[in-house]
């Protein structure tokens, strides 16, 4: 615990230092400097006061100061108490004098005293920055600022926002501001104005509006306004429910696309050459680890590493697949039970190998910026970027594979061997080679699935086990040996799962789906799309 | 030919002498069992605890051992397989004749070995936070009971963050279910409406959090401050936090306080989207105290890797091991009955700068800390309880257990004593 006098002496010292630091250009704004001094205090309440002072200081550096503080980039040097801006560079920090911007070189983390913040400060900071940013020249910054202050509206803020509305030119920002104005309208004394405001927010799905109307219904005494409010609320809720269903559909398609990716390699190895490959999950895992290794090799370009991982993972898992086929599976064709046991053994071997090389701990695979965050459609519907990307990626992989099987000579050979091995051999196709290539192809696709999964789930030795059951489920449900079946099977299982989840819970939803598939297979053993003709034997 | 036969003779001699020397050695050592999974799903967490124990034993031996004898670690691998835990425990006690065992992580593994330790009358030190509702004569619970982790965390959110709406999210097994039952009862007692509590369970290793996070977002947009109390276990946390970040839920809008996310779990992941989310523990690596600095230094030296971290269950083993050592010294023997009597009331330094004591209910006193996750994967303590909290075995907030206490001193000597009916319903 610091004694008061010591704190006071420290504060005075900081003030002096800051005065000397704040040299070039404008007159030092004393409110701003006072605020900076308070930031160096231990207690979070003092810091909060400091943030408020800086926010109100009108100093040109205010917004940058607060943003740096929010990003955790403001430090004091341990030795001479200089306020610096630090950017981490490996184990060290590149620091520069915060007020003058002069670079002070690289220092060890130990020599810096970080200005720590907690969640309360974080939200104070966000609101304060948003208030400053309401005047920002950039449209998107202004829009974000308006949205940030909306959730916590008070009379003074309403006045400011009404002022902004008068001068605002950008359409989107005006829309956001009109939400604030409508909230102001709902709080008016005049009944006619409240009714008018209710009319204007009809169909606006912003959650703030919904809560405001709910609050209005609770406190309102005028029967006409209550009736209007209730009808508006019903309209808004209807619209929200509609968007919620749309969101669930997206979730389902996204889950489905992951299932398709995981299963499509199996659809080839299991579906086309009939091998029950229990090591399929581990081939997915190998793909995910390939991504990890590539990211370790090029830590500065995560996105590029991810893109390169797609062919690399295809290569690694594909080769592993060919190796497994040549060394084990080819001796076991026509003996499904032995294949099952042997590949199960291989899966354990692969898991333990990875555990020995990379340790049993999960590895961290970074997500490039363009795959983080979400695409906002409206205040209640936003689609997460990584899921959207993976959905399209899955479709792309499916399309490429489909073309490969239908249009290339390898595809022709694969289909020929699958349909009638003896006849294909009689026509001069080297069946053994085709088997190896097909198995390699299926394994390679599993590797590609691993790249996608590394962005969604943990990269660890057990990654594969989590997906092997799902993969078999999709292939069996879709119909063995049919790519369209896998696509449709995967997507419909995903969507069904997500529509079940809200009312049954995640655990029960999985069980229900499993029971459904068991019943479905009883009724229709060939799956959704049975193979027709002689090949079906 | 000649060479091989002489080689065989040589091998026999070596083997015999080795066998002899080890049996001679055995008389001079005290064996300590380490029962942690070194393979399978739990290896991630438990391997570290095995290493911690090896380090503690090595250090004790450097100090001259115990009762003039060297300590000898006996490591077995129950392979994350619950029935195997019981078999391995039996092996440690019957075959290896260990004086005490340090081990288990999951509650189900503890439940599986419990009858073995009781039947064989041997001691188990259990280092992980758990759901409570248990007190055995043979088990010492050095991890947190719900009132040493979950309840203070909820208090913090309620008083400091002014949370009014609660999401209790957990993995579907015994620890989260019991903890959430206690928390639900506690929240209702504090006047939280049923509509303001959302409870959600997910399977182990759940990775598709889209709809659950979206539900949390909707639940949190009702104009009241909302927080998530997470008993989500293990690596399912990573995709959970990722999804939170992607859907734009940050710590200052809807904070998540977790009971199973520590430094070890964070070391494998990208912590950027997690900054500001909370965890409740009794120890953080970032705590500044001399004992902690020394512990971290010897850990990094022992494990020969500067990037490794320390965590709460490691501290629990540190406390438990030192308590056992002190109790053995006090009793002058490793006999389980004598150690049981001696250990109650023993206090040893913990790593947060204070002392922890073994209470008569076989739980220990601990401070409770709330930390915010930082970008470097460490925690910044933002709140802590005023003093030490005594572990409460039978929860005061559950209908069936609020009248129960346990006290392993004579004359009560009971694991589940009903103070209303004055009857002992537990094992004697």
């Amino acid at each position: 615990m610091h004694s008061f006098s010591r704190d006071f002496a420290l504060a005075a010292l900081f003030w002096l230092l800051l005065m000397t630091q704040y040299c070039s250009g404008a007159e030092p704004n004393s409110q701003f400097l006072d605020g900076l001094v308070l930031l160096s205090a231990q207690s979070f309440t003092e810091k909060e006061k400091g943030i408020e002072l800086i926010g109100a200081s009108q100093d040109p550096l205010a917004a940058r100061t607060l943003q740096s503080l929010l990003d955790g980039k403001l430090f004091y040097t341990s030795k001479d108490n200089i306020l610096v801006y630090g950017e981490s560079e490996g184990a060290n920090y590149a620091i520069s004098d915060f007020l003058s911007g002069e670079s002070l070189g690289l220092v060890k983390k130990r020599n810096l005293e970080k200005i720590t913040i907690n969640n309360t400060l974080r939200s104070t900071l966000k609101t304060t920055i948003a208030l400053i940013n309401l005047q920002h020249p950039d449209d998107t910054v202004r829009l974000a600022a308006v949205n940030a202050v909306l959730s916590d509206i008070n009379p003074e803020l309403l006045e400011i926002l009404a002022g902004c509305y008068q001068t605002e030119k950008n359409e989107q920002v005006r829309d956001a501001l009109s939400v604030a104005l409508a909230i102001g309208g709902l709080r008016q004394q005049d009944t006619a104005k409240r009714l008018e405001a209710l009319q204007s927010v009809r169909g606006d799905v912003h959650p703030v509006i919904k809560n405001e109307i709910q609050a209005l219904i609770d406190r309102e005494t005028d029967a006409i306004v209550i009736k209007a409010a209730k009808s508006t609320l019903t309209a808004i809720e209807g619209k929200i429910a509609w968007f919620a269903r749309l969101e669930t559909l997206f979730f389902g398609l996204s889950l489905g696309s992951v299932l398709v990716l995981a299963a499509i390699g199996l659809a080839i190895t299991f579906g086309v050459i009939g091998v029950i490959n229990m090591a399929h999950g581990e081939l997915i895992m190998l793909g995910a680890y390939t991504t990890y290794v590539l990211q370790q090799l090029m830590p500065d370009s995560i996105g590029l590493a991810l893109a390169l991982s797609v062919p690399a993972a295809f290569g690694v898992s594909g080769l592993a697949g060919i190796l497994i086929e040549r060394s084990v599976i080819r001796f076991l064709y026509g003996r499904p039970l032995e294949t099952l046991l042997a590949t199960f053994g291989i899966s354990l071997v692969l898991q333990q190998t990875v555990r020995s090389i990379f340790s049993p701990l999960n590895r961290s695979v970074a997500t490039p910026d363009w795959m983080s965050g979400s695409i906002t459609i409206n205040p209640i519907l936003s689609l997460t970027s990584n899921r959207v990307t993976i959905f399209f990626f899955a479709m792309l992989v499916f399309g490429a594979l489909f073309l490969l099987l239908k249009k290339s000579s390898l595809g022709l050979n694969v289909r020929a061997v699958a349909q009638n091995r003896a006849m294909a051999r009689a026509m001069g196709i080297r069946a053994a080679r085709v088997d190896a290539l097909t198995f390699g192809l299926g394994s390679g696709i599993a590797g590609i699935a691993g790249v996608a999964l590394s962005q969604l789930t943990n990269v660890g030795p057990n990654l594969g086990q989590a997906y092997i059951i799902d993969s078999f489920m999709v292939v069996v449900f879709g119909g063995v040996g049919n790519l369209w079946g896998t696509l449709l099977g995967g997507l419909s299982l995903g969507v069904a799962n997500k529509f079940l989840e809200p009312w049954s819970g995640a655990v029960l939803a999985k069980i229900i789906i499993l029971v459904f598939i068991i019943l479905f297979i009883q009724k229709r053993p060939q799956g959704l799309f049975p193979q027709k003709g002689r090949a079906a034997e | 030919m000649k060479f091989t036969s002489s080689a065989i003779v040589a091998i026999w001699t070596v083997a015999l002498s080795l066998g002899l020397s080890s049996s001679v050695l055995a008389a001079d050592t005290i064996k300590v069992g380490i029962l942690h999974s070194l393979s399978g799903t739990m290896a991630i967490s438990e391997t570290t605890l095995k290493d911690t124990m090896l380090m503690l034993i090595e250090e004790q031996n450097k100090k001259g051992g115990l009762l003039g004898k060297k300590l000898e670690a006996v490591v077995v691998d129950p392979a994350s397989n619950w029935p195997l835990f019981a078999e391995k425990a039996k092996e440690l006690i019957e075959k290896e004749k260990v004086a005490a065992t340090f081990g288990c992580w999951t509650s189900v593994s503890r439940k599986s070995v419990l009858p073995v330790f009781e039947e064989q009358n041997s001691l188990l030190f259990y280092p992980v936070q758990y759901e409570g509702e248990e007190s055995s004569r043979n088990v010492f619970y050095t991890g947190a009971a719900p009132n040493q982790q979950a309840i203070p965390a909820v208090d913090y959110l309620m008083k400091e963050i002014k949370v009014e709406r609660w999401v209790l999210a957990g993995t579907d097994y015994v620890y989260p279910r019991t903890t959430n039952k206690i928390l639900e009862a506690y929240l209702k007692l504090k006047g939280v409406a049923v509509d303001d509590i959302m409870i959600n369970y997910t399977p182990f290793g759940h990775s598709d959090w889209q709809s659950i996070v979206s539900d949390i977002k909707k639940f949190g947009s009702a104009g009241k401050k909302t927080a998530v109390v997470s008993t989500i276990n293990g690596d399912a946390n990573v995709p959970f936090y990722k999804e939170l970040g992607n859907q734009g839920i940050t710590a200052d809008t809807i904070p998540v306080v977790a009971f199973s996310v520590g430094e070890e779990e964070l070391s494998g992941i990208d912590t950027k989207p997690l900054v500001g989310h909370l965890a409740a523990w009794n120890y953080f690596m970032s705590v500044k105290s001399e004992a902690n600095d020394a512990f971290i230094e010897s850990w990094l030296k022992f494990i020969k890797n500067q990037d490794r971290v320390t965590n709460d269950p490691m501290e629990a083993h540190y406390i438990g091991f030192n308590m056992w050592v002190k109790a053995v010294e006090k009793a002058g023997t490793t006999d389980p009955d004598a150690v049981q009597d001696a250990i109650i009331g023993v206090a040893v330094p913990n790593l947060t700068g204070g002392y922890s004591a073994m209470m008569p209910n076989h739980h220990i006193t601990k401070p409770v800390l709330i930390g915010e996750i930082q970008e470097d994967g460490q925690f910044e303590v933002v709140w802590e309880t005023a003093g030490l909290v005594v572990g409460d075995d039978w929860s005061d907030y559950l209908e069936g257990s609020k009248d129960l206490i346990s006290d392993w001193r004579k004359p009560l000597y009971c694991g589940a004593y009903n103070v209303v009916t004055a009857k002992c319903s537990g094992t004697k």
Side-chain angles (χ1 to χ4, degrees), chain A residues 72-318:
Chain A
K73 287 178 173 159
L74 273 193
F75 300 86
Y76 274 100
T77 52
S78 309
K79 228 192 289 162
D80 32 17
N81 283 323
I82 299 175
L83 179 68
V84 293
Y85 177 86
E87 195 83 59
S88 93
E89 264 184 31
N92 296 322
Y93 278 85
I95 58 167
S96 55
D97 187 310
F98 186 73
L99 295 173
S100 67
E102 179 196 345
S103 169
L104 298 173
L106 279 179
V107 293
K108 287 232 164 61
K109 195 185 156 200
R110 210 179 301 124
N111 299 327
L112 292 176
E113 206 65 57
K114 185 172 175 177
I115 302 185
T116 53
I117 53 175
N118 64 9
N119 280 328
T120 322
L121 289 191
R122 230 167 254 131
S123 71
T124 314
L125 274 172
K126 280 191 183 166
T127 331
T128 318
I129 294 171
L131 279 175
I132 297 173
N133 280 348
L134 284 177
Q135 315 294 340
H136 202 278
D138 191 338
D139 289 344
T140 46
V141 176
R142 232 165 34 246
L143 182 63
V146 175
N147 278 327
V149 295
L150 269 184
S151 57
D152 191 21
I153 254 173
N154 54 41
E156 298 98 77
L157 190 61
L158 272 178
E159 221 163 277
I160 298 173
L161 292 177
C164 293
Y165 188 74
Q166 299 301 325
T167 54
E168 184 58 57
K169 299 247 164 23
N170 182 284
E171 203 54 44
Q172 276 178 302
V173 185
R174 271 181 84 91
D175 280 351
L177 283 167
S178 71
V179 172
L181 294 190
I183 291 174
L186 289 173
R187 291 177 182 177
Q188 290 281 343
Q189 293 294 325
D190 188 353
T191 314
K193 285 217 171 119
R194 286 205 299 279
L195 283 173
E196 193 188 319
L198 275 176
Q199 201 56 47
S200 75
V201 297
R202 216 180 166 82
D204 198 324
V205 292
H206 203 293
V208 180
I209 298 237
K210 193 183 150 209
N211 294 335
E212 193 64 36
I213 295 177
Q214 193 63 55
L216 178 71
I217 293 173
D218 291 346
R219 66 166 184 258
E220 185 61 55
T221 47
D222 191 325
I224 301 169
V225 180
I226 293 186
K227 191 160 167 261
K230 281 192 173 151
S231 112
T232 311
L233 192 62
T234 326
I236 290 177
E237 274 171 351
K239 212 162 168 189
I240 289 179
W242 192 81
F243 278 117
R245 276 195 290 277
L246 209 63
E247 191 183 36
T248 312
L249 180 69
F250 167 72
F251 290 162
L253 285 177
S254 145
L255 175 63
S257 66
V258 172
L259 289 178
V260 169
L261 261 183
I264 200 162
L266 197 72
I268 294 172
T269 52
F270 179 49
V272 177
I273 45 182
V275 172
I276 298 180
N277 180 16
M278 295 301 282
H280 180 74
E282 277 59 42
L283 293 166
I284 296 179
M285 175 195 72
L286 283 186
Y289 271 98
T290 310
T291 318
Y292 166 72
V293 170
L294 276 181
Q295 281 198 351
Q296 289 310 102
L297 290 179
M298 24 189 315
D300 295 326
S301 40
I302 304 271
L304 180 66
L306 191 68
L308 286 181
S309 305
V310 175
F314 183 84
V316 170
S317 294

Side-chain angles (χ1 to χ4, degrees), chain B residues 143-186:
Chain B
N147 75 316
Q148 289 174 310
Q149 193 183 26
I151 301 273
V154 166
D155 281 340
Y156 166 75
L157 290 174
M158 210 180 266
K159 285 179 195 140
E160 306 284 322
I161 313 282
K162 311 265 182 286
V163 171
E164 295 171 275
R165 256 166 110 77
W166 304 82
V167 181
L168 308 180
T171 303
D172 203 1
Y173 76 107
V174 54
Y175 166 67
R177 284 214 177 242
T178 317
T179 308
N180 285 345
K181 219 193 280 170
I182 295 172
L183 286 180
E184 197 186 354
Y186 183 71

Side-chain angles (χ1 to χ4, degrees), chain B residues 199-218:
Chain B
I199 299 181
N200 184 290
Y201 292 105
T202 38
F204 266 103
H206 193 63
S207 64
D208 192 354
W209 290 94
Q210 303 179 85
S211 20
I212 290 161
V213 169
S214 154
D215 282 349
I216 292 174
K217 199 170 161 188
K218 275 181 213 124

Side-chain angles (χ1 to χ4, degrees), chain B residues 109-122:
Chain B
S109 69
R110 187 189 70 250
K111 296 270 186 209
S112 142
V113 301
L114 194 67
V116 179
F117 280 92
E118 285 182 346
E119 188 197 317
Q120 309 273 337
N121 191 23
S122 186

